[in-house]
Amino acid sequence: EKFSHRIQLTERVHFARIEVGGPANWQQAIEERLGGKPHLVLLAYALHHFPDPKQILAALSGFLPPGALLVINEENPKSPLFQLKHLIRGCLQKDTDVEWHRSEAAWRTLLVETGYQPGTPARGFDLLPGWELLTPALCWSLVFTARRV
């Protein structure tokens, strides 16, 4: 097992989805939907859309109970496929200036600064079969975990 944080499901699982720009009282909305604070938060390709993800992570840290698990999936700016996509998208859509991609090390630093303990190094996933086995540091997508301290 490459992930250092494991989840033991002993109770029913409830889901809540809150959109960015959602209710101002998002904490209350989540607690009402879940019947309490979440113990697991999935952030899939989300953090790089915030100019200040440290603010988002700190707000989550202040809300989540100790031990809560974050599962984060972000694009990897070191990936050749990502770089190609970013170049093409920048030329065609001209919207990549509002994305703030970071390396795994930079994400880990932000997590520590905002009250989380990062798990083992990220696991890479890629569109090219087997690429994650050959060069995981250059995969398109990185998945990593962190626990709320």
Side-chain angles (χ1 to χ4, degrees):
E1 180 66 48
K2 296 208 177 195
F3 294 106
S4 66
H5 299 302
R6 294 180 185 216
I7 304 165
Q8 185 72 24
L9 296 178
T10 57
E11 301 174 20
R12 261 183 13 175
V13 177
H14 300 275
F15 295 92
R17 180 178 175 180
I18 301 294
E19 295 289 333
V20 174
N25 59 344
W26 60 270
Q27 297 97 329
Q28 181 182 351
I30 289 174
E31 286 192 68
E32 287 173 2
R33 288 184 193 171
L34 297 178
K37 293 184 178 188
H39 296 280
L40 172 67
V41 174
L42 172 64
L43 297 167
Y45 300 111
L47 289 174
H48 70 268
H49 291 287
F50 295 99
D52 187 8
K54 188 173 186 176
Q55 180 183 7
I56 301 301
L57 290 169
L60 268 175
S61 181
F63 171 66
L64 295 174
L69 182 67
L70 291 183
V71 177
I72 300 168
N73 185 3
E74 281 293 334
E75 291 178 311
N76 180 7
K78 293 182 179 180
S79 162
L81 280 177
F82 167 82
Q83 292 172 8
L84 178 62
K85 181 229 42 154
H86 203 66
L87 177 70
I88 292 169
R89 189 170 157 202
C91 292
L92 296 177
Q93 292 178 269
K94 298 179 180 18
D95 65 350
T96 55
D97 59 333
V98 294
E99 294 182 352
W100 294 270
H101 295 279
R102 289 168 171 75
S103 67
E104 177 188 357
W107 286 122
R108 292 173 79 79
T109 298
L110 275 177
L111 289 166
V112 169
E113 290 173 352
T114 54
Y116 300 92
Q117 177 186 3
T120 54
R123 183 170 183 154
F125 294 96
D126 205 89
L127 301 174
L128 299 173
W131 189 254
E132 70 276 1
L133 300 175
L134 297 172
T135 56
L138 297 179
C139 285
W140 175 292
S141 181
L142 298 173
V143 179
F144 47 99
T145 62
R147 283 229 184 255
R148 164 72 171 82
V149 179

